[in-house]
Amino acid sequence: MQLPADARAVVIGGGVAGCSVAYHLARLGWQDVVLVERHDLTEGTTWHSAGFVGQLRSTVTQTRMIMYSAGLYPELRDLTGLDPGWHGVGGLRLATTPERHEELVRQAGAAETYGLDLELLTGAQTKERLPLLETGDVVSSLWLPGDGWLDPAMLAKALAEGARKLGVRIFTGAAVTGLETADGAITGVRFGDHVIRTGTVVNAAGAASGVIGRMAGVELPIVPIKHQYVVTESTGVSVGMPTVRDPDNIVYFREEGGGILVGGYVRTPQVWDEPNPLATPRHLFEPDMPKFEESWTSAVHRLPHLRERGEIVKVVHGPEAFTPDGEFLLGETSVRGLWVAAGFCVHGLAAAGGVGKVTAEWIVEGAPEYDMFAMDVARFGPHARSTSWARAKVLDAYSAYYDIVYPGQERTAARPLRRSPAYARHAELGAEFGEKAGWERVNWYAPTGDDAPRPKGWAGRVWSPAVREECLATRDSAGLFDQTSFAKFDLRGFERLQALAGANLDRPVGTVVYTQLLNARGGIEADVTITRLGDDRFRLVTGTAFGGHDAALLRRHGVDVTDVTSAYACYCLWGPDSHDILSSLTSDDLGFGYMQSREISVGYVPVRAQRVTFVGEYGWELYTPVEFGLTLWDLLAGTGVRPGGYKAIDSMRLEKGYRVWGADITPETTPFEAGLGFAVRKSVPRTESAVELACLVVDDPAEVCLGGEPVRVDGVPASRVTSGGYGHRVDRSIAYAYLPKGVTRVEVGVNGGWVGADVVAGPVYDPQNLRVRSRGQL
């Protein structure tokens, strides 16, 4: 079949990702979609997938994508007459340690908020569910009846046939040799001497996605990793055997042809160092049984019959495409019209249907139904183009794939990388650093005492009494915080910027505006401050992790964006004594009002001072060119002010009800639901909603929420916690959740039990905002 000269969209890759994207594009009404594969369908990485489908994931978006995928299979069967290879046998996830049991309890609570059917079993009940198992060391397990496994090739072929039925043209044996661009946008796909002209390309080439991206000058942080599983001889194992994951022993298994398929995540993974991965079809590596020994030993322990009847008859050792954080890589790249749907990290088959759905919605409708930030390719900064950085991060992520990850726990791979001018000073003060978007950021400094009560459960695992000291010092005198990692952009293009922003930006020069950037549905795509520097000059400041996402959003809407993140240090001086501290270092007038910005000098240092706070205390954000950054820090710290870290900031912002994008507010929520209607100009249509973001004060201060906990109203599941923590200035445990209007009392699932909480109006700290506007002690 002759390749066409033109197409509305070209999808590169004939695995489950590419077939799913093509199918969903056609289902949304796009005609003239072309899918190309250099081999036959599924012959890249899809064909050798173990096929596990576990619906309960670490984020609500991924869980919803997998739940959607499970619902897609009957539709495919009806449309195509092909069996997608779904085996709905249920799944068990085991805990053999008290710590893993705690994790299962938390996951069970999250599952309630997702609407997932599950049951928490004892070790004995686990044995009843699957008598083949050795359960003497099993503390508990989760039973998920909606789990199962897929035949990867059958799923891909069903998706491909569904796409064909809807008009997609599929070409195999078509090797892409180049991508053509003009003015930063995709214009065509080259196959030797032939070019398909198109304005939309989806790179779904799996482990070869990095090679395809580089054809257009896009570096994707995708690293092919060797992953291995084995299949044993048939011993008459029932085809209805549930899938089993035993993460404490880094092994998973299921039935395969009457035998057992056994896989695992080795602690010493290997990168596939190949400049042109997947150049040959159905590529496999030589078996490496010594590396597989730990997983196999665990499987034999868990399935005692394998000791005598466990001959290995097949070894599958193939490449999997991993990303630095173990999440998918989806969305539009820096080249307009060039999209990516790759980085499936072993578990992508389960979410393949959801990947096609959200990618097609993104392309056709401008935004997907779900909040996709955690999987958006734009989440990575410019440092992610470094192959050595991506490699170090990927090896670390794979080796810890089955580890318990406690909230706030930090990884050390590829660090330190980006550092504030004051980094050395922080280290001298005994700072405990965290990492965000490559930046080293202070979580807290060395404590001076140990009299703060430790929260119960997981909230007390990554914790320090220094956080309380820093919060109280900020309340009672002043705190100094290094927020150099803020993402900062200089913008031009007022009308296009105003069209995105909820608030009115047509304010006098020197005004700071707090606003959200909204999508077509009114959902919150970004939560930012914008300072007017001139008639058509603005500076936008956003969260450290959101810079890539927000810049891509602005550019897609025609705003001229210059990234100045690394050009300026930023220190925040907040607290009732902050005026006296800063006035001792400058002769400039500091009397300008809240949400105003002025250029001043601090000592010899030029500074842009902005009367803005994220902790609910009087003070400033102080910006200076990086070459002055160390001098400015030394001037401020030399006054004796107490330095503080990000954990103190988070505690104080909870007390003030300041929202965090990606948790309390997302593209799926509107400013009006989130209690941010005050930041929206009157010309933006008001939307009515039955729910609103509510503040919860938990009865027991030692029971601290971390996000994701289930919330019940009158014993009925109603919501989940968006964010939570301990408010040291008010000595209360605080959480937020979207609840029906009028609710005054709830129960929250924390640490395996239920605790009551009051729903309160307004922030629990300084509800009248007197401290924000007044410079005196109140």
Side-chain angles (χ1 to χ4, degrees), residues 69-126:
S69 298
L72 176 66
Y73 308 139
E75 176 183 322
L76 285 173
R77 188 180 294 111
D78 293 343
L79 176 65
T80 67
L82 297 179
D83 179 6
W86 169 240
H87 300 259
V89 294
L92 288 165
R93 186 178 179 91
L94 310 183
T96 62
T97 64
E99 293 79 11
R100 187 70 69 176
H101 172 71
E102 288 182 343
E103 181 187 51
L104 294 193
V105 170
R106 281 185 59 84
Q107 289 175 330
E112 176 176 307
T113 73
Y114 303 156
L116 269 181
D117 183 19
L118 62 71
E119 186 178 357
L120 185 64
L121 306 179
T122 65
Q125 290 170 325
T126 305

Side-chain angles (χ1 to χ4, degrees), residues 204 369 415 528 684:
E369 178 183 358
R415 294 176 57 190
V528 301
V684 174

